[in-house]
Amino acid sequence: MRAEQNEFLTRTGPGTPMGQLFRRYWLPALLAEELPAPDCPPVRVKLLSERLIAFRDTQNRLGLVDEFCAHRGVSLWFGRNEENGLRCSYHGWKYDVTGQCVEIPSEPDNPKLCRRMKLKSYPLIERGGVLWTCMGPAEQRPPLPEHEWAMVPEPHRFVSKRWQECNYLQAMEGGIDSSHVSFLHRHTMTVDPLFKGAKGNEYNLRDLQPHFEVVESPGGLYIGARRDTGDGKYYWRITQWVMPSFTLIPPRGDHPIGGHSWVPMDDENCWAWSTNHHAMRPLTHAEREALEAGKGIHVPLIPGTFRPLANKHNDYLMDRSAQKDGGSFSGVEGFAMQDASVQESMGPIQDRTRENLVPTDQGIIMARRRLVKAAEALGKGATPPGTDPSQQRVRSVSIILPQGVAFSEAAEAALVPQPGSAHATV
Ligand code: FES
Ligand SMILES: [Fe+2]
């Protein structure tokens, strides 16, 4: 990859081509529980290199506005959330959820001045336990998102987020690279309560040379990884990538399905959103307990923050003896931090001019191409793939298929399911 191509793909600030593409999608911005009640404390949100403030006003309306006061630039995080607006704590200018200034206490006789003061603002809507925003032009805002995890009843779902200290792209690339599972996650797969016991795990561990086949879907990619079952059939794991950065992990047994959204905070940090859901049933008490304890694809966090307990600054609590004696392939505990540790180790933005790709990287190659193509087409007025809700209502699949059939045809009904049907899983 040339350096300019890497820049093109990884920069998402205002005015950049990839930033413009991301701004055309509904993206997870906060957990709904971060703004639990009317007039609760405002929350700082950094997205696509923009510093914003989210708040819930007296009438329960949600606002996402520029973090800084139009007067002299004080952070509105210090503001008072009261009587349907956020009041700057420096000189008392007050803003409503649309960012409109509604009061300048020192200029009560100058309503014109007040009306002229309007902070940049974005919509904020609640769906699936998450507050979503769309930071692009209002006229081109797509319909609300319909990813399955966000649409199932609340007891069927668990959502968490963590701060990851690297560019979104290398994090997302980990999410569509299922060849690393047999190595990096080798031991964890057989012991984690949200993974263990599935028949599919045996195939994962037996065949370390998966064959990849990647097919374009209307909203992204179907990334098929094929492993031998040992009895003349193939075990397929089909990951969904939905543009711009949503992934769905193929299921294991009856465990809830995992998925991620990788949302750029700025060019060197991203939010790793992790979801689990079950289409057919509420999560069990034991599952919810494990999810809350940071098992599966979630992590234990430093209380009061979204920073993982094991992180870059403590070498992820690396356990060299576990790495040596086979207790853990990587020495880092848990799927999420195994992923985050290797991805953050690439540096804040991976230098892709120095990489050497092999056939198992096919999904990554095609995802990059599709992102570049969509960002370029946007300039010519094309609607980005993955913005239509029908393209988001897809599922990951694990399935045994005979040899010699195309997975995207043989598994078609499972990849784009009818509502209320069960997942195809092994
Ligand atoms: S800086 Fe906000 S009111 Fe003066
Ligand atoms: Fe992983």
Side-chain angles (χ1 to χ4, degrees):
M1 182 178 275
R2 283 179 287 118
E4 314 85 76
Q5 295 171 313
N6 201 28
E7 286 281 298
F8 188 97
L9 274 161
T10 52
R11 304 284 175 187
T12 58
T16 60
M18 205 47 67
Q20 268 158 344
L21 181 67
F22 266 84
R23 282 167 175 77
R24 295 292 291 273
Y25 296 86
W26 286 98
L27 301 172
L30 301 92
L31 287 164
E33 70 200 41
E34 291 180 74
L35 293 178
D39 291 338
C40 62
V43 177
R44 296 184 188 98
V45 182
K46 193 173 188 194
L47 286 177
L48 307 178
S49 301
E50 294 185 42
R51 288 180 62 172
L52 305 165
I53 281 284
F55 68 106
R56 197 185 278 274
D57 78 1
T58 317
Q59 290 179 56
N60 218 14
R61 290 175 302 201
L62 293 163
L64 184 62
V65 304
D66 194 328
E67 178 179 345
F68 303 101
C69 181
H71 179 212
R72 276 168 44 212
V74 164
S75 170
L76 293 168
W77 181 80
F78 293 94
R80 303 169 58 91
N81 187 9
E82 57 188 17
E83 292 160 352
N84 287 316
L86 194 56
R87 190 185 289 283
C88 180
S89 61
Y90 207 8
H91 316 93
W93 291 29
K94 185 175 174 184
Y95 305 90
D96 70 11
V97 285
T98 69
Q100 178 62 53
C101 182
V102 291
E103 193 187 343
I104 299 180
S106 64
E107 306 292 325
D109 303 325
N110 193 348
K112 257 191 171 151
L113 174 71
C114 183
R115 267 200 302 278
R116 272 211 335 265
M117 298 298 142
K118 169 119 175 32
L119 300 175
K120 170 176 74 184
S121 77
Y122 299 116
L124 198 59
I125 65 108
E126 182 164 352
R127 176 162 283 189
V130 170
L131 306 180
W132 303 70
T133 190
C134 183
M135 295 165 63
E139 326 77 72
Q140 284 152 333
R141 205 168 281 154
L144 297 183
E146 294 195 18
H147 303 274
E148 187 178 54
W149 60 265
M151 301 305 283
V152 294
E154 202 266 322
H156 292 222
R157 167 184 56 242
F158 181 81
V159 185
S160 73
K161 72 168 193 184
R162 66 177 162 80
W163 173 8
Q164 182 157 333
E165 295 181 67
C166 70
N167 184 263
Y168 86 94
L169 186 63
Q170 65 212 56
M172 186 191 88
E173 289 177 348
I176 54 179
D177 157 29
S178 78
S179 73
H180 76 271
V181 175
S182 313
F183 299 94
L184 182 68
H185 304 314
R186 192 169 185 80
H187 180 69
T188 315
M189 197 158 61
T190 53
V191 295
D192 187 278
L194 292 148
F195 280 70
K196 68 179 181 190
K199 178 75 184 155
N201 298 357
E202 294 171 25
Y203 305 129
N204 257 107
L205 295 173
R206 190 183 308 146
D207 185 351
L208 304 184
Q209 293 170 294
H211 169 77
F212 274 74
E213 278 177 36
V214 189
V215 176
E216 285 206 358
S217 67
L221 297 173
Y222 303 138
I223 301 163
R226 189 188 81 190
R227 290 174 171 86
D228 261 314
T229 57
D231 56 3
K233 298 207 176 82
Y234 287 140
Y235 168 62
W236 283 93
R237 292 182 61 73
I238 310 167
T239 301
Q240 289 279 359
W241 174 64
V242 178
M243 290 184 66
S245 58
F246 296 90
T247 57
L248 288 169
I249 304 166
R252 294 187 185 274
D254 189 46
H255 293 304
I257 315 295
H260 294 289
S261 320
W262 314 97
V263 182
M265 211 181 284
D266 55 32
D267 293 340
E268 302 193 345
N269 296 274
C270 67
W271 288 115
W273 287 85
S274 304
T275 62
N276 274 105
H277 77 280
H278 202 293
M280 304 303 285
R281 61 166 175 82
L283 306 184
T284 65
H285 181 69
E287 283 168 348
R288 201 166 281 282
E289 228 173 38
L291 293 161
E292 273 161 10
K295 300 292 185 193
I297 55 173
H298 307 272
V299 292
L301 297 169
I302 297 174
T305 76
F306 293 102
R307 182 188 281 267
L309 265 177
N311 59 57
K312 175 171 148 181
H313 308 280
N314 55 25
D315 279 333
Y316 309 93
L317 307 174
M318 164 64 86
D319 182 347
R320 290 287 179 194
S321 54
Q323 192 188 45
K324 197 156 214 154
D325 68 23
S328 164
F329 188 82
S330 103
V332 173
E333 172 89 20
F335 292 97
M337 293 324 292
Q338 287 161 1
D339 286 323
S341 60
V342 297
Q343 292 157 8
E344 291 177 354
S345 79
M346 298 164 164
I349 303 178
Q350 186 202 344
D351 178 359
R352 291 182 176 75
T353 63
R354 300 176 48 164
E355 68 184 4
N356 296 284
L357 300 178
V358 293
T360 54
D361 298 314
Q362 187 60 20
I364 291 169
I365 295 167
M366 286 180 67
R368 291 176 187 173
R369 263 196 220 135
R370 203 129 196 229
L371 282 170
V372 170
K373 217 169 100 189
E376 286 172 349
L378 195 62
K380 302 184 191 105
T383 303
T387 47
D388 190 283
S390 69
Q391 299 167 353
Q392 300 159 357
R393 290 192 297 264
V394 290
R395 278 184 182 167
S396 56
V397 163
S398 61
I399 196 167
I400 307 279
L401 293 175
Q403 297 187 357
V405 302
F407 82 83
S408 54
E409 287 164 27
E412 192 183 6
L415 287 164
V416 187
Q418 294 303 311
S421 62
H423 274 83
T425 182
V426 179

